Amino acid sequence: MKTRTLLLEIGCEELPPGCIRTALDALSESFRRFALLNGVGFGETRTWATPRRLALFVASVAVKQDDAVEEIKGPPAASARDPDGSYNLAAEKFAASRGGALRDVVTRDTPRGEYLFLIKKRPGERVVKLLPDFLRAFIREAPFPRRMRWTDGAVQFARPIRWIVFLFGKTPLKVDVDGLVSGAVSRGHRFLSPGKIRIADPEGYLETLEGGGVIADHRKRKEMIRGALNRCEDGVPVIREALLDEVSFLVEYPFVARGSFPPRYLEIPRDVLVHCIEKTQKFFPVQSADASRLLPAFLAVVNVPLDDSNDVISSYEKVLVSRLKDAVFFYGEDLKTPLADRVERLKKVVFQKDLGTLYDKTQRLVSLAGTLAGMAGLDPAGVESVRRAALLCKADLTTHLVFEFPEMQGAAGSYYASRDGEPADVAEAIRQHYKPRSADDDVPGSAHGAVLSIADKLDTLAGCFSAGIVPTGSEDPFSLRRQALGVIRILDEKKFPLSLNRIARAALDNYPEALIPRRKRDATAETLLQFIAARLRTYLMETRGASYDAVDAVDFGAERGVASAAKLVSDVESLRRTEDFQNLLEVFDRVSNILFKSASSGDFTRETADPSLFRRDEEREMHRLRETAASAWGALDGDDYAGRIRALYAITPAAHAFFDRVTVMHEDRGLRANRLALLKDVRALYLEIADFSKIVKGAPGGEGGGG
C-alpha cells in the first residue's frame, strides 16, 4: 500500500510552558485515535514543540483507508432457498433492499440455525479527504486549562493561532480554520529570522526551521541548554531538571548568559536565595566547585544572541535584586519574633471550618506525633524531639517570608528554629515534614521528620474524612490522594512497623469528641482505611510491578506494617511460578471448599482439633505437619514470608493423602466435627500469611490474568 509522511505544525503566540507537554501527548493521541477510528495505517509518530509551535510528524501514513466489510443478517436460509438449493426471490429481495446483489449473499450457521448474510465491501476513502477532520478535532479538543478566542469565530486555543503547516508528503493540505488556511508556510525565530519559511517536505522540517533560527526539537534544545550551562567558567551551575524542562519551552533558540548580584545577599538562607533565583525568575544558581556555598551569580536562558543580551541581563539583575531585597527584609522582620512565640498566632488561622484552627491542628499533632514516634520505636528523647517539632512546624505560616513565598513553608521554619537555638533534629524535622510533596519527591530523610510527616498527613486525612470531605473524580481540594500516598511511601521506605489499621485509628482517636463524635469513628475508620488501602494497592502494582491478585490476597488492614505487607506481596510474586506454590493453592482451595460446603451443617462445634480423637494416620500426619510448619516459623525473621510459605509446602502430600483416604463427613458426629476442626486449623495457618483463594492458579505474574 502506498504511504506518505504527515506533518502538522500549529503556530501561535507564546504558549505557557506548563501546558506544552500535555498538548504534545494529546496531539499524538488524537492522531492515533483518528487513525484507529478511520482504518488508516501509519508508522512512527514524533512530536516537537517550541513556545510558538506544536508539531506532529507521522511516518508511513496510508494514502487510502482500509476497505470496510459489513455483514448484514437476513432471513432464515430455509425460507430463502428453492428445493434445488438455489436462492429464491426472497433472497434476491433481501440483497436488493440492502443495496447489494445476490452474488454477495452467503449462508452462515448461527445459534438459531442457518441464516442469509449480505457481505458488503466499502472501498476505503482517500486519507487526504479525512485529514481535515483530524486537524479540526484536535484544535477543538486540545486539553488546555484555559482557552481563548481571538476573532469573532468559534475556534478557541490556548493562544491565538497565527499559522498552520499541514503537509501530506509534499502536498500542502488547505484547511480553513476560522478564516486561517493551512499550507506549507511556517515562521522563523521572532528575532533571528522573523520572516516566512516554506517547508518543502516533512522530512526536512527540523533542518529547515533550524536554518530560520528555530530548534524545533525540544529534546535537542534542552540538551543544548544543559551543555551551555555546564560550560560555566566560574563555579558550577545548580541544574534542577524540572526547571531545565520549563526553560526549554521558553525559548526557540537557546543562549545562556551570566548575571550577578551583590554578595551581601548571600547572607540569606540558601533555600530562600535559591527560591528567589529559580522559582521567581527561572534562573539557574551557581555554586562553588565543592558545592559548599552559592556564588553571587546566576545563569539565564535567553532567546536572543549574547551580543544583544546585555540590556536583558541588566533588567534581569534589577528584578532579582528587588526580590532579594524583599527576602532580606522579610527574613529580618521574622527573626524579631521567636518561632515558639508564633504558635499562639495560629489561633487566628483556620485549618478547615469544621476542624478548627491551625492551633488546634498543632495541638493534635503534638499528641499524635508523640504516639506514632513511640509506636515506631524511637527512644524517649526522640519522642520528645518529635513532639517539639510538631509544636513548631506550622508556626512559620505566620511569617512574612512564607506569606510572600508560600513554597518556603517548612524550610523557613527550620531556619528560624535553628536561629532560636532549637536542636538540630527538631529543625530538620520541621523542614522535612511536608515531604514527599509530590510523587517524584523524596520521603523525609530523618526518622523524626518521617514520623511528623505521617502524623501531619494522617491528621488531615482523618479530619477530612470525618467531615465528609472525600475525593470524588477529579475533585480533591486537600490533596488527600497525595497525602495517603505520602504516608504509604514513608512507611514502606522507612520500614516503620506501623499498620494502617493502628495509625488510622490513632489519628481519629486523637480528635476531640466535639469534632469527631465517637459514634462516627468506627465507620470513618473503615472508610479511611479502605481509601488508604486502595492507594497502597495501586502503589504496589505501579511501583513494584505486583500482580493484582497477589495484592488482593494480602490484608492491608491487618496488624502487619506497610513495609511488611509489601515484602509479603514481593515474596508471593517470587514463588508463584513454582510447582510447589501451585500445589499449595490447590490444597488451600480443597480445604476451603470442604469447609464452605459444610458451613451450614451445624458440625462446627469445635474451635480446634483434638489429637486424641484422631482415628487415622492421615489425620495425625496432617496435624503433625501443620504443627511443625507453625513451629518452623518461629526460627524465621518476622518478614521472611518466602520461608513461611516454603514451610507450608510440607503439608501438601499429607493433605492429598487425607483427601484421598479420610471421610471428613463421617456418620459419627464427633469424629466429623473434629476433622472439620482440623481442616479449619490448617486453613487458619495459611490465612496468617494471605488469602490464597484470591491468587489465580496457573497464571503467574501477569500471564492469563495474574498481572
Side-chain angles (χ1 to χ4, degrees):
M1 177 179 287
K2 291 183 179 180
T3 63
R4 294 182 186 175
T5 305
L6 176 72
L7 174 70
L8 170 63
E9 180 195 67
I10 299 176
C12 53
E13 298 296 331
E14 277 75 3
L15 292 163
C19 74
I20 292 179
R21 283 195 181 276
T22 301
L24 288 181
D25 291 342
L27 180 55
S28 179
E29 181 56 32
S30 182
F31 181 81
R32 291 176 184 275
R33 187 166 56 249
F34 157 81
L36 179 64
L37 290 174
N38 289 281
V40 177
F42 66 97
E44 177 190 12
T45 63
R46 283 180 274 170
T47 54
W48 303 301
T50 78
R52 299 174 66 211
R53 67 199 78 220
L54 301 172
L56 171 71
F57 176 96
V58 188
S60 306
V61 179
V63 299
K64 191 172 78 70
Q65 277 182 299
D66 296 336
D67 293 340
V69 177
E70 182 181 9
E71 296 189 2
I72 304 172
K73 187 179 179 182
S79 65
R81 287 185 181 277
D82 289 332
D84 62 0
S86 61
Y87 291 125
N88 60 21
L89 184 61
E92 192 172 341
K93 286 183 176 181
F94 157 64
S97 69
R98 298 297 190 273
L102 202 56
R103 63 177 177 273
D104 301 321
V105 173
V106 298
T107 301
R108 295 268 174 86
D109 282 327
T110 75
R112 299 178 61 184
E114 289 189 332
Y115 276 76
L116 298 193
F117 283 82
L118 178 67
I119 310 300
K120 293 184 67 176
K121 294 183 179 180
R122 177 173 56 80
E125 288 264 15
R126 291 171 59 225
V127 170
V128 72
K129 291 184 177 181
L130 307 173
L131 286 170
D133 293 336
F134 153 64
L135 171 58
R136 294 191 181 101
F138 171 71
I139 292 175
R140 182 174 62 250
E141 299 167 3
F144 296 115
R146 295 181 180 176
R147 301 169 69 89
M148 62 172 60
R149 290 189 179 93
W150 56 97
T151 68
D152 293 336
V155 175
Q156 299 181 51
F157 207 64
R159 292 292 185 269
I161 297 176
R162 297 307 187 200
W163 75 89
I164 301 174
V165 174
F166 206 11
L167 295 178
F168 195 38
K170 295 184 178 182
T171 303
L173 304 183
K174 297 187 180 300
V175 182
D176 189 315
V177 179
D178 210 7
L180 179 67
V181 179
S182 63
V185 178
S186 182
R187 303 289 189 278
H189 190 285
R190 190 181 291 279
F191 305 114
L192 299 178
S193 181
K196 297 179 179 180
I197 298 177
R198 183 173 185 83
I199 308 298
D201 57 73
E203 287 80 0
Y205 171 72
L206 294 178
E207 185 178 355
T208 301
L209 280 187
E210 190 164 346
V214 176
I215 304 298
D217 185 343
H218 53 281
R219 302 167 191 85
K220 178 178 179 180
R221 208 164 54 244
K222 177 180 175 180
E223 294 311 310
M224 289 175 65
I225 296 171
R226 190 195 305 276
L229 290 171
N230 284 325
R231 287 193 290 274
C232 171
E233 294 182 358
D234 270 334
V236 178
V238 179
I239 301 177
R240 189 169 53 86
E241 286 297 315
L243 179 59
L244 186 58
D245 277 339
E246 185 175 359
V247 299
S248 70
F249 286 123
L250 291 173
V251 296
E252 292 205 305
Y253 196 105
F255 300 90
V256 173
R258 185 186 182 95
S260 62
F261 54 87
R264 65 178 179 274
Y265 292 112
L266 294 175
E267 298 175 4
I268 304 173
R270 179 178 177 124
D271 283 350
V272 180
L273 185 56
V274 168
H275 179 82
C276 290
I277 295 172
E278 287 187 343
K279 295 285 188 178
T280 67
Q281 303 306 126
K282 313 303 180 189
F283 303 152
F284 293 88
V286 180
Q287 63 186 2
S288 60
D290 62 0
S292 63
R293 58 190 175 86
L294 290 176
L295 302 180
F298 64 88
L299 298 174
V301 180
V302 296
N303 203 36
V304 294
L306 298 184
D307 294 342
D308 303 328
S309 65
N310 290 337
D311 290 343
V312 174
I313 293 300
S314 178
S315 66
Y316 285 169
E317 291 173 340
K318 291 176 182 177
V319 173
L320 177 59
V321 167
S322 175
R323 298 298 284 169
L324 295 177
K325 284 180 179 177
D326 290 343
V328 167
F329 173 76
F330 297 139
Y331 184 62
E333 287 296 301
D334 290 340
L335 288 177
K336 294 177 182 178
T337 304
L339 196 62
D341 291 352
R342 293 182 175 277
V343 174
E344 284 288 316
R345 300 184 186 184
L346 295 174
K347 292 180 177 179
K348 298 180 179 180
V349 184
V350 175
F351 168 54
Q352 201 278 333
K353 64 182 181 65
D354 296 322
L355 303 176
T357 65
L358 278 176
Y359 181 84
D360 298 325
K361 180 179 175 69
T362 294
Q363 301 309 305
R364 293 194 302 270
L365 280 182
V366 172
S367 174
L368 180 59
T371 298
L372 296 183
M375 292 166 62
L378 272 66
D379 60 24
V383 171
E384 284 309 306
S385 291
V386 171
R387 289 173 57 87
R388 181 65 178 175
L391 178 67
L392 302 176
C393 68
K394 301 300 179 185
D396 67 357
L397 297 176
T398 69
T399 64
H400 295 88
L401 192 64
V402 172
F403 182 82
E404 185 68 18
F405 306 117
E407 296 89 345
M408 291 305 302
Q409 55 190 293
S414 176
Y415 281 119
Y416 297 144
S418 295
R419 290 293 296 263
D420 293 343
E422 297 288 345
D425 55 2
V426 171
E428 192 59 25
I430 294 171
R431 173 189 296 276
Q432 295 179 1
H433 86 279
Y434 288 106
K435 296 173 75 68
R437 297 175 186 260
S438 67
D440 299 327
D441 194 15
D442 294 331
V443 303
S446 72
H448 303 79
V451 169
L452 182 54
S453 178
I454 292 173
D456 185 27
K457 292 170 173 57
L458 276 177
D459 177 80
T460 299
L461 285 161
C464 286
F465 269 72
S466 68
I469 305 171
V470 180
T472 56
S474 60
E475 295 296 319
D476 190 6
F478 280 80
S479 301
L480 299 184
R481 294 186 182 93
R482 178 172 58 79
Q483 305 262 26
L485 181 59
V487 170
I488 289 165
R489 286 188 56 203
I490 295 170
L491 291 174
D492 185 24
E493 296 184 34
K494 304 302 287 187
K495 309 302 181 189
F496 288 145
L498 305 176
S499 74
L500 294 179
N501 190 34
R502 292 177 65 198
I503 63 177
R505 174 59 73 175
L508 286 164
D509 289 345
N510 193 54
Y511 270 83
E513 173 75 15
L515 291 180
I516 304 182
R518 298 204 175 274
R519 58 183 170 76
K520 292 179 56 178
R521 297 191 182 187
D522 286 343
T524 303
E526 181 63 26
T527 304
L528 176 57
L529 188 60
Q530 289 176 2
F531 176 79
I532 301 176
R535 306 280 86 70
L536 176 54
R537 287 183 172 88
T538 301
Y539 168 76
L540 291 174
M541 288 188 286
E542 291 185 352
T543 66
R544 299 292 186 86
S547 307
Y548 78 91
D549 54 337
V551 173
D552 287 346
V554 176
D555 180 7
F556 298 124
E559 287 307 302
R560 67 170 58 96
V562 167
S564 179
K567 177 65 163 54
L568 171 53
V569 171
S570 176
D571 284 357
V572 168
E573 292 285 12
S574 70
L575 294 174
R576 66 182 300 166
R577 292 168 174 79
T578 66
E579 183 178 354
D580 286 335
F581 189 89
Q582 293 294 314
N583 290 336
L584 178 151
L585 296 182
E586 183 181 351
V587 169
F588 184 85
D589 281 353
R590 292 189 69 176
V591 170
S592 298
N593 288 338
I594 293 171
L595 293 174
F596 177 77
K597 291 176 181 178
S598 306
S600 60
S601 67
D603 292 316
F604 288 90
T605 58
R606 302 192 65 88
E607 285 298 317
T608 188
D610 181 353
S612 68
L613 299 179
F614 293 153
R615 294 292 180 267
R616 295 187 61 88
D617 289 342
E618 290 82 5
E619 294 175 274
R620 298 184 185 91
E621 182 66 2
M622 189 152 78
H623 175 74
R624 184 185 71 79
L625 290 173
R626 187 255 181 222
E627 297 302 303
T628 300
S631 298
W633 289 3
L636 300 173
D637 291 337
D639 288 347
D640 185 4
Y641 294 109
R644 294 188 179 200
I645 293 171
R646 290 191 185 99
L648 294 177
Y649 292 164
I651 299 175
T652 297
H656 285 306
F658 180 91
F659 298 141
D660 291 341
R661 300 168 192 160
V662 176
T663 302
V664 176
M665 304 306 290
H666 198 277
E667 60 184 14
D668 183 319
R669 186 181 181 90
L671 201 57
R672 183 165 68 241
N674 198 56
R675 288 172 178 174
L676 288 171
L678 174 59
L679 294 181
K680 190 168 66 171
D681 290 344
V682 171
R683 187 172 188 271
L685 187 65
Y686 283 68
L687 287 174
E688 286 189 39
I689 300 177
D691 183 353
F692 291 99
S693 68
K694 299 289 182 65
I695 299 177
V696 180
K697 293 191 293 294
E703 296 177 18

